[in-house]
Amino acid sequence: MGQGFWQIGLTLCIVIAIVPVLGRYMARVFLGERTLLDPLMNPIERSFFLLAGVGRKDDLTGGEYIRAVLYSNLVMGILVYSLISFQKLLPWNPNGFDAPSWDILLHTVVSFVTNTDQQHYTGETTLSYFSQVAALGFLMFTSAATGLAVGIAFIRGLTGKKLGNFYVDLTRAITRILLPISVIGAIALVFCGVPQTLDQTLVVQTLEGRTQYIARGPVASFEMIKMLGDNGGGFFGVNSAHPFENPNGAANLIEIIAMIAIPASLIYTYGVFAKNIKQAWLLFWMVFVVLIILISVALGGEQEGNPLVNGTLGLEQPNLEGKEIRLGWTQTALWAVITTATMCGAVNGMHDSLMPSGLFSTLFNLFLRMIWGGQGTGTAYLFIYLILAVFLAGLIVGRTPEFLGRKIERREIILASVVLVIYPIVVLIPSAITLAYPFSLSGITNPGFHGISQVVYEYASAAANNGSGLQGLNNNTLWWNLSTCLSMFAGRYIPIIALLLLADGMSRKPTIPETPNTLKTDSLLFTTATAGLVVILGMLAFFPVLVLGPVAESFKLASGS
């Protein structure tokens, strides 16, 4: 147990060390400054821009940037839908898989286009290698790059710069960040024992004389972009709990670091853009402290164990249900909190087996969406809370709300409110409809308080573009596939539209000279107030759900019933 806590501490220290290095590098990439990859990537990018008719210096307006995001994502979705539909006729299909049904295919495509990667199918028995790598792998790069591009455009707008060009940002996010790190990471995973092959499923005879089918494939490359891009969709059905995706402690460490590296470092990237590293570190530590609290809550519940099990067996042991013993229960608790904090959604244990306190931490992350949040968009959500904090603080102290020398006015507050309000709408309304029909729609396998958590978690994960789930839910049905598609789509694109419109408006505002009455947003006091606002706003919409779900379940377990 002590070793597990030391491992957690080491992991978080590595993250802290990476943040300024990767954050500054990403700033150089998107500021157009020289990087080490320029000699290799510049000719490739120039060829792509020439073929696509994109000018490197062509800045887009807010409306043009939005249209570029929506049109490109639509085209990519149609392309991948077509590829998987005809996977039977395409190469790299040694197991001869046919196309899945239209509703599961639609859900899968929407899921991967929106960077959610919620899976209602089992990868090793449904999709060919070509579909996994060329179709879904392609979307893993482009959906993560889309989020990065939107996040960078938002940062540009806040700091008074033009939004830039979506196609340029998308390309550079892939060629300068996602692709090179993925190549290095995939090689490291191969050395750790993750397979990378195009051979078909291995058929072996066991010692008992039975036949066993061992699925394999080009897993290492798929796994690395899954983690680095905060995609989360597994090559295998059990995701990173599978020994071929996550064979040992070294692979587990690499994947955790990959999962959190970019979202955490983007806060530092903002500091470089705004020329205010002090504020970037204050915001980083604010989010980091909340993360530590949630990890501690999850660890406490798992360490105490299930009182019903321990009481029956007369033992005092941690909760080992749903855990991979080769990794340890502490690593499962850490992973569960980080995968929901970063909106990655990958799992190395079963979230349905978490104690109520662990379920509380994971749901709380999904509800806030900015600790650390998804690729690019999570950082933007953090600044949405910051803008609201500036507005409320300005009203309280009687000062004009300003952020980075620009006034916060009615339009900005409306758009910020849209970003925050759309999420509970697309989570709570479909959850209420589903819970109203517990047998015909929900497929709840655990009635009572845990069943409520199962349903709400599914929609919260979809709308937050996270993709993880509580595995006891029977969710591969027409209702679940279509309703979660709606939550994924609305949870992804409505906030993106509002974010880009807000950033476009901020970029056009004149800069107001700083005076003694200007509200300081890079102070410890203001950062603390922002943290309080984040918790309050997060709890207002979802506190009843938390009470009826994990909190009530915790009291029920404590009572011994």
Side-chain angles (χ1 to χ4, degrees):
M1 183 174 64
Q3 181 182 3
F5 288 114
W6 279 107
Q7 290 173 343
I8 291 174
L10 176 61
T11 302
L12 296 177
C13 287
I14 294 174
V15 171
I16 295 171
I18 287 174
V19 162
V21 178
L22 182 57
R24 189 173 295 279
Y25 171 74
M26 289 193 293
R28 292 181 65 85
V29 167
F30 291 111
L31 285 170
E33 299 176 0
R34 182 173 179 79
T35 67
L36 291 174
L37 292 176
D38 282 0
L40 175 63
M41 294 301 179
N42 276 341
I44 298 174
E45 291 175 358
R46 280 196 295 266
S47 300
F48 174 77
F49 295 147
L50 181 64
L51 291 173
V54 176
R56 186 185 291 264
K57 300 296 184 182
D58 293 342
D59 290 310
L60 304 181
T61 64
E64 291 171 339
Y65 208 104
I66 290 169
R67 287 193 292 274
V69 170
L70 297 180
Y71 292 161
S72 63
N73 279 225
L74 177 62
V75 170
M76 289 186 289
I78 293 173
L79 172 63
V80 169
Y81 190 99
S82 302
L83 289 176
I84 299 178
S85 295
F86 295 101
Q87 70 174 2
K88 181 78 172 180
L89 307 176
L90 296 174
W92 298 358
N93 189 10
N95 298 311
F97 293 140
D98 208 340
S101 62
W102 72 270
D103 57 312
I104 190 66
L105 179 53
L106 177 65
H107 177 273
T108 301
V109 172
V110 172
S111 181
F112 278 79
V113 166
T114 58
N115 199 235
T116 308
D117 293 23
Q118 189 178 63
Q119 294 175 289
H120 289 174
Y121 67 95
T122 303
E124 64 265 42
T125 60
T126 305
L127 299 179
S128 68
Y129 294 162
F130 186 87
S131 295
Q132 293 264 48
V133 175
L136 299 188
F138 164 73
L139 288 182
M140 282 183 168
F141 278 98
T142 56
S143 65
T146 296
L148 267 174
V150 170
I152 290 297
F154 186 79
I155 290 173
R156 287 195 186 112
L158 284 188
T159 55
K161 301 176 178 63
K162 293 183 178 180
L163 299 190
N165 188 304
F166 169 72
Y167 300 105
V168 174
D169 292 339
L170 179 79
T171 303
R172 293 178 71 86
I174 294 174
T175 58
R176 307 305 178 98
I177 299 170
L178 297 174
L179 184 60
I181 299 177
S182 292
V183 170
I184 296 171
I187 294 173
L189 289 179
V190 169
F191 277 103
C192 291
V194 179
Q196 181 73 13
T197 178
L198 294 178
D199 291 340
Q200 66 183 15
T201 296
L202 183 63
V203 182
V204 298
Q205 295 295 318
T206 67
L207 294 176
E208 294 87 357
R210 298 178 180 179
T211 301
Q212 183 176 359
Y213 299 90
I214 302 176
R216 51 185 176 170
V219 183
S221 57
F222 191 93
E223 185 73 11
M224 193 58 201
I225 186 56
K226 158 192 147 182
M227 306 308 301
L228 183 66
D230 286 326
N231 293 283
F235 194 94
F236 301 103
V238 294
N239 210 278
S240 292
H242 196 290
F244 282 178
E245 289 197 27
N246 189 8
N248 49 48
N252 193 72
L253 176 62
I254 292 171
E255 292 175 22
I256 288 179
I257 297 300
M259 184 164 38
I260 196 174
I262 291 178
S265 300
L266 271 174
I267 297 177
Y268 193 93
T269 301
Y270 156 78
V272 176
F273 269 84
K275 299 179 180 179
N276 193 341
I277 301 298
K278 175 186 175 182
Q279 185 181 38
W281 276 119
L282 283 170
L283 292 172
F284 173 87
W285 290 117
M286 179 192 81
V287 177
F288 190 83
V289 167
V290 178
L291 178 72
I292 293 295
I293 293 172
L294 293 175
I295 291 174
S296 300
V297 170
L299 285 171
E302 299 305 306
Q303 182 178 6
E304 184 179 348
N306 190 324
L308 299 181
V309 174
N310 289 347
T312 301
L313 299 178
L315 300 173
E316 291 294 333
Q317 65 177 12
N319 174 33
L320 300 180
E321 181 187 351
K323 310 294 190 301
E324 274 299 325
I325 303 302
R326 71 179 187 276
L327 304 175
W329 64 268
T330 56
Q331 288 299 307
T332 299
L334 172 67
W335 184 297
V337 175
I338 290 182
T339 196
T340 49
T342 60
M343 300 307 142
C344 177
V347 297
N348 73 347
M350 299 299 103
H351 286 197
D352 197 50
S353 298
L354 291 172
M355 296 301 294
S357 58
L359 189 54
F360 178 94
S361 293
T362 55
L363 278 171
F364 195 81
N365 279 329
L366 295 178
F367 294 158
L368 292 185
R369 296 176 297 157
M370 41 67 64
I371 308 170
W372 304 86
Q375 292 276 311
T377 55
T379 306
Y381 294 150
L382 172 61
F383 286 99
I384 289 296
Y385 283 108
L386 199 65
I387 287 171
L388 291 175
V390 169
F391 180 75
L392 293 175
L395 292 179
I396 292 171
V397 300
R399 295 177 181 174
T400 302
E402 298 172 11
F403 183 66
L404 297 179
R406 293 167 183 82
K407 287 186 177 181
I408 305 297
E409 298 175 303
R410 178 173 173 266
R411 183 175 184 270
E412 286 71 46
I413 298 303
I414 291 175
L415 291 171
S417 300
V418 168
V419 173
L420 297 183
V421 169
I422 189 62
Y423 180 70
I425 290 175
V426 297
V427 172
L428 297 179
I429 291 179
S431 294
I433 296 172
T434 303
L435 289 169
Y437 299 93
F439 301 106
S440 57
L441 293 182
S442 68
I444 295 174
T445 57
N446 193 327
F449 303 124
H450 191 78
I452 294 174
S453 296
Q454 285 180 332
V455 171
V456 174
Y457 193 106
E458 186 77 3
Y459 286 111
S461 171
N465 304 132
N466 174 264
S468 62
L470 301 187
Q471 292 74 20
L473 194 67
N474 180 24
N475 53 17
N476 188 8
T477 64
L478 183 64
W479 166 256
W480 279 111
N481 289 335
L482 297 184
S483 63
T484 51
C485 271
L486 178 61
S487 292
M488 288 187 290
F489 192 87
R492 175 73 164 180
Y493 294 111
I494 293 177
I496 281 179
I497 292 171
L499 288 171
L500 291 172
L501 290 176
L502 192 156
D504 187 47
M506 291 290 286
S507 70
R508 300 173 187 273
K509 289 180 179 288
T511 303
I512 301 172
E514 186 175 325
T515 68
N517 291 327
T518 301
L519 182 65
K520 299 289 185 181
T521 60
D522 57 356
S523 66
L524 179 60
L525 177 62
F526 182 79
T527 305
T528 305
T530 302
L533 177 69
V534 168
V535 173
I536 291 172
L537 290 180
M539 295 296 283
L540 280 176
F542 294 104
F543 183 72
V545 171
L546 291 172
V547 170
L548 291 173
V551 174
E553 186 182 358
S554 179
F555 279 110
K556 182 180 180 181
L557 281 177
S559 67
S561 59

